[in-house]
Amino acid sequence: MSQSDEIVFYTNPMSRGRIARWMLEEIGQPYRTVVLDYGTTMKAPEYLAINPMGKVPAISHRGVTVTECAAICTWLADAFPDAGLAPALDDPARGPYLRWMFFGAGPLEAPVHSRRR
């Protein structure tokens, strides 16, 4: 695997990166994990060059950096179509797929993560 084909996954164990990691496991491709700390390595110039927002998760793949869980999952499903995790771009099911993907990342995920235990 060439460096440009390498998938690099930036995360923190206490982040929503678990969603992106699950997708990485589902596509069945090797990836390298870089664990970052809040407030230190996430805010360091090296990582801010990757994600200027200084947040995780993020992936770098084929010269592209993708942030936000739903975007990462969508990117990976499209980049690895043989995994069968998303309808093709010309499939009519693509619209409902995107609706539910982003519904899950917005209106559904917010109350789940903000719920007090």
Side-chain angles (χ1 to χ4, degrees):
M1 178 179 291
S2 75
Q3 183 144 344
S4 64
D5 285 341
E6 179 184 38
I7 302 168
V8 182
F9 172 50
Y10 302 91
T11 191
N12 177 286
M14 299 305 292
S15 74
R16 293 178 183 169
R18 292 174 292 203
I19 297 165
R21 183 181 300 280
W22 182 6
M23 185 62 159
L24 285 160
E25 292 296 323
E26 291 293 326
I27 64 168
Q29 298 296 314
Y31 61 94
R32 179 169 55 95
T33 301
V34 177
V35 177
L36 300 168
D37 295 319
Y38 291 104
T40 59
T41 52
M42 256 183 242
K43 304 303 181 190
E46 296 82 12
Y47 186 65
L48 292 174
I50 294 163
N51 183 359
M53 294 174 61
K55 296 183 178 196
V56 293
I59 64 163
S60 293
H61 179 238
R62 297 181 184 155
V64 176
T65 297
V66 184
T67 65
E68 304 300 325
C69 288
I72 291 169
C73 291
T74 302
W75 172 268
L76 291 170
D78 290 347
F80 299 95
D82 291 345
L85 297 170
L89 294 175
D90 60 350
D91 186 326
R94 184 74 179 192
Y97 157 79
L98 290 171
R99 175 185 58 200
W100 289 112
M101 175 67 76
F102 291 95
F103 177 80
L108 181 63
E109 186 178 334
V112 169
H113 282 282
S114 66
R115 183 174 168 243
R116 293 181 185 231
R117 297 180 197 259

